[in-house]
Amino acid sequence: MSVLTWTAAVSLAAWGWLLLGQGFFWRTDAGLPERTAPGDWPAVAIVVPARDEAAVLPSSLPSLLAQDYPGRAEIFLVDDGSTDGTGELARALADSCGGLPLTVDSPGEPGPGWTGKLWAVRHGMALARARTDAEYLLLTDADIAHGPDSLRELVAAARSGGLDLVSQMARLRVVTFWERMIVPAFVYFFAQLYPFRRVNAPGARTAAAAGGCVLLRREAAERAGVPESIRQAVIDDVSLARAVQRSGGRIWLGLAERVESVRPYAGLGPLWRMVSRSAYAQLLHHPLLLAGTVAGMAVVYLAPPVAVMAGALAGAAAPAAMGAAAWAVMAGTYVPMLRYYRQPLWLAPLLPVTALLYLLMTLDSAVQHYRGRGAAWKGRTYARPEAMP
């Protein structure tokens, strides 16, 4: 049997396992669990870390100010060293829109060993503890717009299910060509790594969250020691979920219907930076994990179209057929995510092209790490983990 035939066979077997054995990761029906309105609505503190977000705040902050929540809720926007007037704009929006009370404060530069976002979250949580008796914290990014009932539904889900952490993956913006090519696949690959059904299963060992929208019970945060216990994390949402789960907390993760990112990505460059800044951190900065990931992605995503084309050119029916079958399964598992994002289904067969881009982004992430420029974001470059205290 030729190398091409063996590779095609391995790829087809891998896709058979991914289809049936990886927690049905490709399904997109993980909405909020069943819930009923609590008899008493607990107080909630909404913490919004923001660094140079003046461009998106007019589309996101009013949605938080306008939350239709029966209990007490207060917003703490932490202006993390912005140079574009983020804090002033937030105050102006609160004055013009009204709604929930807003406090804007700044934490100063991050302390040693802290990533910027978690330093801002720490400050926001400290403000909330000092000024409110909130039972829950809603950690949400400055580019996330919430439907008017978002907070109410999150709290109802947490209370009804006895959940310590409820996270919804916001629907990211998909308008331009490159957003269509990159964004749905970003969520697809995330779900493949962290199948929602496995995260949400009782006694689960898989833990993940989506940082744009996390409702966290304050007692669970204190028990898990967050954010101090994860202060170095670049992938802070997954680290947060793991910390809560390790401390005995129950977590839940799903896809959102009315929580959306309003951040535009003008071209491939910003999308590339979004992925590459944390891709190597996902692999624990380990060269062997990088090599295994590159090899795995090549066999799983690139081998099927290569087998089809090479088999057709060589007149080899077996690898061409197995490659076509693997490609068909791959495209079929991508269709639900495209539908969720309301995108044309002709993008499904192009997933190998997108996977190749992600592979190159991962390699670039490793290169930047070893050049000392890893995890660069909004003017900050974080030290390698081994150099942190």
Side-chain angles (χ1 to χ4, degrees):
M1 188 179 292
S2 68
V3 173
L4 182 64
T5 303
W6 270 111
T7 304
V10 171
S11 183
L12 180 57
W15 276 108
W17 180 79
L18 287 170
L19 177 66
L20 301 174
Q22 185 62 359
F24 295 99
F25 76 93
W26 42 270
R27 295 187 59 169
T28 56
D29 55 355
L32 280 173
E34 291 187 12
R35 56 209 174 274
T36 57
D40 60 319
W41 289 93
V44 180
I46 303 172
V47 177
V48 185
R51 179 174 171 83
D52 291 334
E53 298 287 14
V56 297
L57 275 186
S59 300
S60 61
L61 185 57
S63 74
L64 287 174
L65 294 166
Q67 283 299 296
D68 179 17
Y69 184 65
R72 289 186 295 106
E74 185 172 349
I75 303 170
F76 296 91
L77 187 141
V78 183
D79 183 4
D80 181 20
S82 299
T83 59
D84 65 350
T86 288
E88 293 80 0
L89 176 59
R91 294 186 184 94
L93 288 169
D95 290 341
S96 61
C97 297
L100 297 183
L102 171 72
T103 297
V104 178
D105 204 359
S106 178
E109 283 300 304
W114 284 83
T115 60
K117 179 180 176 180
L118 287 172
W119 181 251
V121 168
R122 172 184 178 272
H123 188 70
M125 291 173 65
L127 287 173
R129 283 195 298 269
R131 302 187 187 184
T132 74
D133 59 350
E135 181 179 339
Y136 289 94
L137 302 162
L138 175 60
L139 311 179
T140 185
D141 289 345
D143 65 331
I144 303 298
H146 292 254
D149 61 348
S150 176
L151 181 57
R152 187 171 67 242
E153 294 297 296
L154 287 166
V155 171
R159 275 290 186 87
S160 298
L163 299 167
D164 295 289
L165 182 153
V166 177
S167 179
Q168 287 189 296
M169 178 160 283
R171 196 192 302 263
L172 306 178
R173 195 190 99 127
V174 179
V175 176
T176 67
F177 170 78
W178 286 114
E179 287 171 339
R180 289 190 174 96
M181 288 293 291
I182 301 296
V183 169
F186 178 84
V187 183
Y188 173 88
F189 292 140
F190 183 92
Q192 193 175 90
L193 285 172
Y194 307 103
F196 297 162
R197 287 170 178 250
R198 289 188 179 174
V199 171
N200 301 337
R205 300 179 65 181
T206 302
C213 177
V214 176
L215 183 76
L216 177 62
R217 197 158 65 94
R218 179 171 164 179
E219 181 183 336
E222 293 171 353
R223 186 173 63 240
V226 296
E228 286 79 7
S229 63
I230 59 170
R231 64 187 182 278
Q232 299 183 19
V234 175
I235 308 175
D236 53 88
D237 43 14
V238 174
S239 299
L240 171 62
R242 286 173 176 164
V244 172
Q245 187 190 73
R246 280 197 302 266
S247 65
R250 290 191 58 198
I251 66 175
W252 184 93
L253 170 65
L255 294 172
E257 286 297 330
R258 302 184 64 196
V259 178
E260 301 183 350
S261 172
V262 297
R263 187 182 305 283
Y265 290 95
L268 179 60
L271 287 162
W272 188 289
R273 289 189 291 273
M274 177 191 75
V275 175
S276 67
R277 73 185 177 98
S278 60
Y280 198 38
Q282 180 70 56
L283 301 176
L284 306 178
H285 303 97
H286 200 297
L288 290 180
L289 288 177
L290 175 66
T293 297
V294 170
M297 290 189 71
V299 170
V300 172
Y301 288 100
L302 306 185
V306 170
V308 169
M309 290 182 283
L313 289 173
M322 287 188 288
W327 199 352
V329 175
M330 181 198 315
T333 62
Y334 194 35
V335 164
M337 190 61 69
L338 291 173
R339 284 181 172 157
Y340 171 76
Y341 271 98
R342 307 181 186 99
Q343 295 304 304
L345 299 188
W346 58 260
L347 288 168
L350 298 182
L351 186 55
V353 177
T354 302
L356 175 60
L357 290 172
Y358 271 85
L359 190 154
L360 295 174
M361 293 173 194
T362 302
L363 290 171
D364 180 58
S365 179
V367 169
Q368 297 307 317
H369 171 78
Y370 289 111
R371 288 179 174 176
R373 299 199 296 267
W377 192 246
K378 292 195 174 183
R380 288 191 180 124
T381 301
Y382 300 111
R384 302 177 185 182
E386 61 266 28
M388 290 180 177

